Amino acid sequence: MLKVAMVAPLLLSAGFVGATPPENGWWWNPAESGRGFAIEVQNGSMFMAGFMYDNAGTPVWYVSGPAPMTSDVLYQGKWISYANGQTLNGQYKSAVVSNDAVGSVVINFTSTTTATLQLPNGTVMPLVRFGFGPQQPGPVSATCTTSNINLDKYNRITVGMTMAQVNQTLGCTYVPGSTSRTATYVLNTWMVYDNGIKGILIYFDKTNSVVTAQPGNIFKSSSGF
């Protein structure tokens, strides 16, 4: 049985190969429902709006842009909040800026449907493009093939995913014999031996249930592709 130590992790860069603009639409962290972001990219510029709640539990929106993206996969800007604007049924009333220095926003797109968002307090959270059409879970095989272990599937894995979500995303299950455990995390490996050895290594919390980031925000690595 191939051990984890024999698979040399090759950490991918913050961007993704063959970068194309991210998909426009609604984005969220599946582990934190109730907060989300509208993202749209046009001609190299991005507009982003976030809906959530303030410390008093009052709904609040934050906006960033439209502003040029730093690159095809990176946006850096600032959050602005507005208030005293249009109600649902009232006459039109233009909103005013309530805070033009809420904090910075940094979003790095790791694929067209996945990203990491750095909040003003420095917290980094995963984002995925929200799909709300009818979706049927695909099959999950006990054996991985090259269709399961590749860059596209790798880029879809984000912090906060459950084991079931990772298996569903990759379409196959990990190799139990190559699992490595420590006091703070569990490292699982998904492997394929078709035309060479390829693997995806993912860190989970110590209960082996949720993808978790390690120091340096490392939560996955790959080998062979």
Side-chain angles (χ1 to χ4, degrees), residues 7-17 108-116 126-128 144-159 161 165-172 187-192 198-204 211-212 216-225:
V7 181
L10 175 61
L11 297 181
L12 299 185
S13 62
F16 53 98
V17 177
N108 185 80
F109 296 97
T110 52
S111 77
T112 57
T113 58
T114 60
T116 58
L127 291 181
V128 298
C144 296
T145 67
T146 52
S147 65
N148 307 118
I149 309 301
N150 54 55
L151 183 59
D152 177 62
K153 295 292 183 70
Y154 177 89
N155 283 332
R156 298 182 189 182
I157 305 302
T158 63
V159 173
M161 279 187 168
Q165 288 174 323
V166 171
N167 286 335
Q168 187 67 59
T169 298
L170 296 178
C172 61
L187 180 62
N188 293 310
T189 306
W190 284 254
M191 299 293 300
V192 61
K198 299 177 183 179
I200 294 177
L201 292 77
I202 304 174
Y203 290 90
F204 287 78
V211 178
T212 183
N217 199 36
I218 297 172
F219 61 93
K220 61 183 179 180
S221 63
S222 67
S223 179
F225 64 91

Side-chain angles (χ1 to χ4, degrees), residues 111-130:
S111 77
T112 57
T113 58
T114 60
T116 58
L117 169 65
Q118 182 174 312
L119 301 175
N121 65 0
T123 299
V124 176
M125 63 181 289
L127 291 181
V128 298
R129 170 75 157 81
F130 181 68

Side-chain angles (χ1 to χ4, degrees), residues 49-119:
F51 64 91
M52 57 206 72
Y53 303 86
D54 62 19
N55 292 331
T58 304
V60 60
W61 283 79
Y62 298 102
V63 172
S64 184
M69 294 182 65
T70 303
S71 72
D72 288 340
V73 298
L74 178 64
Y75 174 81
Q76 296 172 298
K78 67 175 184 177
W79 288 116
I80 299 174
S81 62
Y82 293 82
N84 302 317
Q86 180 68 49
T87 63
L88 180 62
N89 296 314
Q91 294 183 343
Y92 174 72
K93 180 181 180 182
S94 178
V96 297
V97 174
S98 59
N99 187 346
D100 65 354
V102 176
S104 62
V105 52
V106 179
I107 181 166
N108 185 80
F109 296 97
T110 52
S111 77
T112 57
T113 58
T114 60
T116 58
L117 169 65
Q118 182 174 312
L119 301 175

